[in-house]
Amino acid sequence: MIRKCSLCSFKFSEKNIHAYRNHPLYTIERWVKKYEILYPKGHALGFCGGNPVYPRTCVQALHTKFRWLREGLQVKVDGVPVKVLNRSQKCNKDNDALDHDEHADGDHQDRTALYGKWQTEPLCLPQAVNGIVPKNERGQVDVWSEKCLPPGTVHLPFPRVAHVARRMEIDFAPAMVGFEFRNGRSLPVFEDIVVCSEFKNGILEVSAQYLLYDLIKVALDHQFQAYLEEEERREAEEKRKNVNIENENPWTKILLH
């Protein structure tokens, strides 16, 4: 038996539910993935094997609070999780960042709170004022993406910039860019610093000078090392020649001694 939707020309099969697993226009609830939900659910367009059929446009992605932050969005204050999952104790290396976000957002350590985009609003961060970088309670800036930077600041992911900023007495904050799992533990990953935008050029200019100095020092070290190796090679060659001469003429050994 085939039931036809009154809103379109698509015919819903009563038996082939697998046709809806990856269908571009329609789906049934049993094929909705772990981090998805039907919203708004509304009325079914038809039925397949007793399963209501919904338009694919009703399938909405769900993320944790931290995942939405990466998109420059924050969950509203009154936001209630639309789905709560039990978090597996086994961490998948391909989803380490997501697994940590789920862990942090859960009501308990083994639970995961998920939210839909309709529960979010544009991220509102404090503005940098008088050269001071707004920091979180840990004294750092969570740079999940460039959209997470406080207005008036910039991320400098370059070597030695923290040392330069400290020498120049410029306020900065460590940039926490994510998490990694090592030995069964979730550890934060830092990538240099966040500073106010007006100090960017000055810090980069001084950093370039330090970098040039380091390059020159490395080049000189290599040259000096090459010189030492060449001297050792010459000394070894001289010793080898003297040994050969002594072996070829026994009178040479008598005269030398």
Short mmCIF file of all heavy atoms in Angstrom, two decimals, residues 66-67 69-72 97 101 123 125 133-136 138 140-150 153-157 173-179 188-195:
data_model
loop_
_atom_site.label_atom_id
_atom_site.label_comp_id
_atom_site.label_asym_id
_atom_site.label_seq_id
_atom_site.Cartn_x
_atom_site.Cartn_y
_atom_site.Cartn_z
N PHE A 66 29.92 24.85 24.18
CA PHE A 66 31.23 25.21 23.65
C PHE A 66 31.27 25.11 22.14
O PHE A 66 31.93 25.90 21.47
CB PHE A 66 32.31 24.30 24.27
CG PHE A 66 32.62 24.65 25.69
CD1 PHE A 66 32.85 23.65 26.63
CD2 PHE A 66 32.67 25.96 26.12
CE1 PHE A 66 33.13 23.96 27.95
CE2 PHE A 66 32.94 26.29 27.43
CZ PHE A 66 33.18 25.29 28.35
N ARG A 67 30.58 24.14 21.58
CA ARG A 67 30.55 24.02 20.12
C ARG A 67 29.84 25.22 19.49
O ARG A 67 30.25 25.71 18.44
CB ARG A 67 29.85 22.73 19.73
CG ARG A 67 30.61 21.48 20.08
CD ARG A 67 31.76 21.21 19.15
NE ARG A 67 31.30 20.81 17.84
CZ ARG A 67 32.09 20.35 16.88
NH1 ARG A 67 33.37 20.24 17.10
NH2 ARG A 67 31.60 20.01 15.71
N LEU A 69 29.82 28.15 20.78
CA LEU A 69 30.74 29.28 20.93
C LEU A 69 31.68 29.38 19.73
O LEU A 69 32.06 30.47 19.31
CB LEU A 69 31.54 29.14 22.22
CG LEU A 69 30.80 29.47 23.52
CD1 LEU A 69 31.68 29.16 24.73
CD2 LEU A 69 30.36 30.92 23.55
N ARG A 70 32.07 28.26 19.19
CA ARG A 70 32.97 28.27 18.03
C ARG A 70 32.31 28.92 16.82
O ARG A 70 32.98 29.39 15.91
CB ARG A 70 33.39 26.84 17.68
CG ARG A 70 34.22 26.18 18.77
CD ARG A 70 34.60 24.77 18.39
NE ARG A 70 35.28 24.10 19.48
CZ ARG A 70 35.74 22.86 19.44
NH1 ARG A 70 35.59 22.17 18.33
NH2 ARG A 70 36.35 22.32 20.47
N GLU A 71 30.98 28.91 16.82
CA GLU A 71 30.25 29.55 15.73
C GLU A 71 29.92 31.01 16.05
O GLU A 71 29.20 31.67 15.30
CB GLU A 71 28.95 28.78 15.47
CG GLU A 71 29.14 27.31 15.15
CD GLU A 71 29.91 27.11 13.87
OE1 GLU A 71 29.76 27.93 12.94
OE2 GLU A 71 30.67 26.11 13.79
N GLY A 72 30.43 31.49 17.18
CA GLY A 72 30.15 32.87 17.57
C GLY A 72 28.76 33.03 18.16
O GLY A 72 28.20 34.13 18.13
N ALA A 97 37.71 16.94 20.68
CA ALA A 97 37.24 18.27 21.08
C ALA A 97 35.77 18.25 21.43
O ALA A 97 35.34 18.81 22.44
CB ALA A 97 37.50 19.27 19.95
N ASP A 101 33.85 18.98 25.06
CA ASP A 101 32.78 19.96 25.19
C ASP A 101 31.55 19.32 25.82
O ASP A 101 30.90 19.90 26.68
CB ASP A 101 32.40 20.51 23.81
CG ASP A 101 33.54 21.30 23.20
OD1 ASP A 101 34.52 21.58 23.93
OD2 ASP A 101 33.45 21.62 22.01
N LEU A 123 27.11 35.92 20.17
CA LEU A 123 27.99 35.96 21.33
C LEU A 123 28.27 37.40 21.73
O LEU A 123 28.62 38.25 20.89
CB LEU A 123 29.31 35.26 20.99
CG LEU A 123 30.34 35.15 22.10
CD1 LEU A 123 29.78 34.36 23.28
CD2 LEU A 123 31.61 34.48 21.58
N LEU A 125 30.62 39.61 24.06
CA LEU A 125 31.84 39.61 24.86
C LEU A 125 32.20 41.04 25.26
O LEU A 125 31.91 41.99 24.53
CB LEU A 125 33.00 39.00 24.06
CG LEU A 125 32.85 37.53 23.69
CD1 LEU A 125 33.94 37.11 22.73
CD2 LEU A 125 32.87 36.67 24.94
N VAL A 133 43.14 43.38 28.12
CA VAL A 133 42.41 42.29 27.48
C VAL A 133 41.39 41.71 28.46
O VAL A 133 41.77 41.30 29.57
CB VAL A 133 43.38 41.18 27.03
CG1 VAL A 133 42.62 40.00 26.42
CG2 VAL A 133 44.40 41.73 26.04
N PRO A 134 40.10 41.64 28.09
CA PRO A 134 39.12 40.98 28.96
C PRO A 134 39.44 39.49 29.08
O PRO A 134 39.62 38.80 28.08
CB PRO A 134 37.79 41.20 28.23
CG PRO A 134 38.05 42.32 27.27
CD PRO A 134 39.49 42.21 26.89
N LYS A 135 39.50 39.01 30.30
CA LYS A 135 39.87 37.61 30.54
C LYS A 135 38.75 36.89 31.28
O LYS A 135 37.93 37.53 31.95
CB LYS A 135 41.18 37.54 31.35
CG LYS A 135 42.32 38.34 30.76
CD LYS A 135 43.51 38.40 31.70
CE LYS A 135 44.63 39.27 31.16
NZ LYS A 135 44.24 40.70 31.08
N ASN A 136 38.76 35.57 31.18
CA ASN A 136 37.78 34.79 31.93
C ASN A 136 38.28 34.55 33.36
O ASN A 136 39.32 35.08 33.75
CB ASN A 136 37.48 33.46 31.22
CG ASN A 136 38.73 32.61 31.02
OD1 ASN A 136 39.73 32.75 31.74
ND2 ASN A 136 38.68 31.72 30.05
N ARG A 138 39.73 32.20 34.60
CA ARG A 138 41.02 31.52 34.66
C ARG A 138 42.17 32.40 34.18
O ARG A 138 43.30 31.94 34.06
CB ARG A 138 40.98 30.23 33.83
CG ARG A 138 39.93 29.23 34.31
CD ARG A 138 39.94 27.96 33.48
NE ARG A 138 39.64 28.22 32.08
CZ ARG A 138 38.43 28.36 31.58
NH1 ARG A 138 37.37 28.27 32.37
NH2 ARG A 138 38.25 28.59 30.29
N GLN A 140 42.50 33.79 31.17
CA GLN A 140 42.86 33.51 29.78
C GLN A 140 41.69 33.83 28.87
O GLN A 140 40.61 34.23 29.32
CB GLN A 140 43.26 32.03 29.63
CG GLN A 140 42.11 31.08 29.96
CD GLN A 140 42.57 29.66 30.22
OE1 GLN A 140 43.65 29.43 30.77
NE2 GLN A 140 41.76 28.69 29.84
N VAL A 141 41.89 33.66 27.56
CA VAL A 141 40.83 33.85 26.58
C VAL A 141 40.63 32.53 25.84
O VAL A 141 41.60 31.94 25.34
CB VAL A 141 41.17 34.97 25.57
CG1 VAL A 141 40.11 35.05 24.48
CG2 VAL A 141 41.29 36.31 26.28
N ASP A 142 39.39 32.06 25.80
CA ASP A 142 39.09 30.83 25.09
C ASP A 142 38.86 31.16 23.62
O ASP A 142 37.82 31.69 23.24
CB ASP A 142 37.84 30.16 25.67
CG ASP A 142 38.05 29.70 27.10
OD1 ASP A 142 39.22 29.49 27.48
OD2 ASP A 142 37.06 29.56 27.84
N VAL A 143 39.84 30.83 22.80
CA VAL A 143 39.77 31.15 21.36
C VAL A 143 39.32 29.89 20.61
O VAL A 143 40.12 29.22 19.95
CB VAL A 143 41.13 31.65 20.84
CG1 VAL A 143 40.99 32.17 19.40
CG2 VAL A 143 41.67 32.75 21.73
N TRP A 144 38.04 29.57 20.74
CA TRP A 144 37.51 28.43 20.01
C TRP A 144 37.54 28.71 18.51
O TRP A 144 37.68 27.80 17.70
CB TRP A 144 36.09 28.13 20.47
CG TRP A 144 35.98 27.83 21.92
CD1 TRP A 144 35.54 28.67 22.91
CD2 TRP A 144 36.35 26.62 22.59
NE1 TRP A 144 35.60 28.07 24.13
CE2 TRP A 144 36.10 26.80 23.97
CE3 TRP A 144 36.87 25.41 22.15
CZ2 TRP A 144 36.33 25.80 24.90
CZ3 TRP A 144 37.11 24.41 23.08
CH2 TRP A 144 36.84 24.61 24.43
N SER A 145 37.40 29.97 18.15
CA SER A 145 37.52 30.43 16.77
C SER A 145 37.76 31.93 16.85
O SER A 145 37.70 32.53 17.91
CB SER A 145 36.26 30.11 15.96
OG SER A 145 35.18 30.94 16.38
N GLU A 146 38.02 32.55 15.70
CA GLU A 146 38.23 33.99 15.68
C GLU A 146 36.98 34.74 16.13
O GLU A 146 37.07 35.89 16.59
CB GLU A 146 38.63 34.43 14.26
CG GLU A 146 39.99 33.91 13.81
CD GLU A 146 41.13 34.41 14.69
OE1 GLU A 146 41.12 35.60 15.05
OE2 GLU A 146 42.02 33.60 15.02
N LYS A 147 35.83 34.11 16.02
CA LYS A 147 34.58 34.74 16.44
C LYS A 147 34.49 34.86 17.95
O LYS A 147 33.64 35.59 18.46
CB LYS A 147 33.39 33.94 15.91
CG LYS A 147 33.31 33.86 14.40
CD LYS A 147 32.15 32.99 13.96
CE LYS A 147 32.08 32.87 12.46
NZ LYS A 147 30.97 31.98 12.01
N CYS A 148 35.35 34.14 18.68
CA CYS A 148 35.30 34.16 20.14
C CYS A 148 36.22 35.20 20.76
O CYS A 148 36.31 35.30 21.98
CB CYS A 148 35.68 32.78 20.69
SG CYS A 148 34.53 31.47 20.22
N LEU A 149 36.91 35.97 19.93
CA LEU A 149 37.81 37.00 20.45
C LEU A 149 37.01 38.20 20.95
O LEU A 149 36.08 38.66 20.27
CB LEU A 149 38.78 37.46 19.36
CG LEU A 149 39.90 36.48 18.99
CD1 LEU A 149 40.63 36.98 17.75
CD2 LEU A 149 40.86 36.31 20.15
N PRO A 150 37.35 38.73 22.13
CA PRO A 150 36.68 39.96 22.60
C PRO A 150 36.90 41.09 21.61
O PRO A 150 37.99 41.19 21.01
CB PRO A 150 37.38 40.24 23.93
CG PRO A 150 37.93 38.93 24.37
CD PRO A 150 38.31 38.21 23.11
N THR A 153 40.46 42.99 20.27
CA THR A 153 41.63 42.16 20.53
C THR A 153 41.98 41.35 19.30
O THR A 153 41.18 41.24 18.35
CB THR A 153 41.40 41.20 21.71
OG1 THR A 153 40.38 40.25 21.36
CG2 THR A 153 40.97 41.96 22.95
N VAL A 154 43.17 40.77 19.33
CA VAL A 154 43.64 39.95 18.21
C VAL A 154 44.46 38.79 18.76
O VAL A 154 45.14 38.92 19.78
CB VAL A 154 44.48 40.80 17.23
CG1 VAL A 154 45.73 41.35 17.91
CG2 VAL A 154 44.86 40.00 15.99
N HIS A 155 44.38 37.67 18.08
CA HIS A 155 45.14 36.47 18.47
C HIS A 155 46.46 36.46 17.71
O HIS A 155 46.49 36.57 16.49
CB HIS A 155 44.33 35.21 18.14
CG HIS A 155 45.03 33.94 18.51
ND1 HIS A 155 44.81 32.75 17.84
CD2 HIS A 155 45.96 33.68 19.47
CE1 HIS A 155 45.57 31.81 18.38
NE2 HIS A 155 46.27 32.34 19.35
N LEU A 156 47.57 36.33 18.45
CA LEU A 156 48.91 36.28 17.83
C LEU A 156 49.51 34.89 18.05
O LEU A 156 50.17 34.63 19.05
CB LEU A 156 49.82 37.34 18.46
CG LEU A 156 49.38 38.81 18.32
CD1 LEU A 156 50.40 39.73 18.96
CD2 LEU A 156 49.18 39.16 16.85
N PRO A 157 49.29 33.98 17.09
CA PRO A 157 49.80 32.60 17.24
C PRO A 157 51.23 32.47 16.71
O PRO A 157 51.49 31.69 15.78
CB PRO A 157 48.81 31.79 16.40
CG PRO A 157 48.41 32.73 15.31
CD PRO A 157 48.43 34.12 15.90
N ALA A 173 46.77 37.90 27.34
CA ALA A 173 46.16 36.73 27.96
C ALA A 173 46.54 35.50 27.17
O ALA A 173 46.58 35.55 25.93
CB ALA A 173 44.63 36.87 28.00
N PRO A 174 46.83 34.37 27.84
CA PRO A 174 47.09 33.13 27.11
C PRO A 174 45.87 32.73 26.30
O PRO A 174 44.73 32.88 26.75
CB PRO A 174 47.38 32.11 28.23
CG PRO A 174 47.77 32.95 29.41
CD PRO A 174 46.99 34.23 29.30
N ALA A 175 46.10 32.23 25.09
CA ALA A 175 45.01 31.82 24.19
C ALA A 175 44.80 30.32 24.29
O ALA A 175 45.65 29.54 23.85
CB ALA A 175 45.32 32.23 22.76
N MET A 176 43.68 29.91 24.88
CA MET A 176 43.34 28.50 24.97
C MET A 176 42.51 28.14 23.74
O MET A 176 41.41 28.66 23.54
CB MET A 176 42.57 28.23 26.26
CG MET A 176 42.62 26.77 26.70
SD MET A 176 41.38 25.76 25.91
CE MET A 176 39.93 26.31 26.79
N VAL A 177 43.05 27.25 22.89
CA VAL A 177 42.43 26.99 21.59
C VAL A 177 41.70 25.65 21.52
O VAL A 177 41.08 25.34 20.51
CB VAL A 177 43.48 27.06 20.47
CG1 VAL A 177 44.06 28.46 20.36
CG2 VAL A 177 44.60 26.05 20.70
N GLY A 178 41.77 24.85 22.58
CA GLY A 178 41.09 23.56 22.54
C GLY A 178 41.60 22.62 23.61
O GLY A 178 42.24 23.05 24.58
N PHE A 179 41.31 21.34 23.41
CA PHE A 179 41.73 20.32 24.36
C PHE A 179 42.32 19.13 23.60
O PHE A 179 42.01 18.92 22.43
CB PHE A 179 40.54 19.84 25.20
CG PHE A 179 40.02 20.87 26.16
CD1 PHE A 179 39.05 21.78 25.76
CD2 PHE A 179 40.49 20.93 27.46
CE1 PHE A 179 38.56 22.73 26.63
CE2 PHE A 179 40.01 21.88 28.34
CZ PHE A 179 39.04 22.79 27.93
N PRO A 188 44.08 21.22 28.45
CA PRO A 188 43.93 22.39 27.58
C PRO A 188 45.14 22.58 26.68
O PRO A 188 46.27 22.25 27.04
CB PRO A 188 43.78 23.55 28.57
CG PRO A 188 44.46 23.07 29.81
CD PRO A 188 44.24 21.58 29.87
N VAL A 189 44.88 23.11 25.50
CA VAL A 189 45.94 23.41 24.53
C VAL A 189 46.01 24.92 24.36
O VAL A 189 45.00 25.57 24.06
CB VAL A 189 45.67 22.74 23.17
CG1 VAL A 189 46.74 23.14 22.16
CG2 VAL A 189 45.62 21.23 23.32
N PHE A 190 47.19 25.48 24.57
CA PHE A 190 47.39 26.92 24.44
C PHE A 190 48.21 27.23 23.19
O PHE A 190 49.11 26.48 22.83
CB PHE A 190 48.11 27.48 25.68
CG PHE A 190 47.29 27.40 26.94
CD1 PHE A 190 47.36 26.30 27.77
CD2 PHE A 190 46.42 28.42 27.27
CE1 PHE A 190 46.61 26.21 28.92
CE2 PHE A 190 45.65 28.35 28.42
CZ PHE A 190 45.74 27.24 29.25
N GLU A 191 47.85 28.33 22.55
CA GLU A 191 48.56 28.77 21.35
C GLU A 191 48.86 30.26 21.47
O GLU A 191 48.12 31.11 21.01
CB GLU A 191 47.73 28.48 20.09
CG GLU A 191 48.51 28.67 18.80
CD GLU A 191 47.70 28.27 17.59
OE1 GLU A 191 46.75 29.01 17.26
OE2 GLU A 191 48.00 27.23 16.99
N ASP A 192 49.97 30.54 22.17
CA ASP A 192 50.47 31.90 22.32
C ASP A 192 49.46 32.83 23.00
O ASP A 192 48.80 32.39 23.93
CB ASP A 192 50.97 32.42 20.98
CG ASP A 192 52.10 31.53 20.45
OD1 ASP A 192 53.16 31.51 21.06
OD2 ASP A 192 51.87 30.84 19.44
N ILE A 193 49.24 34.06 22.49
CA ILE A 193 48.55 35.04 23.32
C ILE A 193 47.49 35.84 22.55
O ILE A 193 47.45 35.82 21.32
CB ILE A 193 49.56 36.04 23.93
CG1 ILE A 193 50.27 36.83 22.83
CG2 ILE A 193 50.56 35.32 24.81
CD1 ILE A 193 51.15 37.95 23.34
N VAL A 194 46.66 36.53 23.33
CA VAL A 194 45.69 37.51 22.81
C VAL A 194 46.06 38.87 23.37
O VAL A 194 46.30 39.00 24.59
CB VAL A 194 44.25 37.14 23.22
CG1 VAL A 194 43.27 38.23 22.81
CG2 VAL A 194 43.85 35.80 22.60
N VAL A 195 46.14 39.88 22.51
CA VAL A 195 46.47 41.24 22.94
C VAL A 195 45.48 42.21 22.32
O VAL A 195 44.71 41.85 21.42
CB VAL A 195 47.91 41.64 22.52
CG1 VAL A 195 48.93 40.72 23.16
CG2 VAL A 195 48.04 41.64 21.00
#
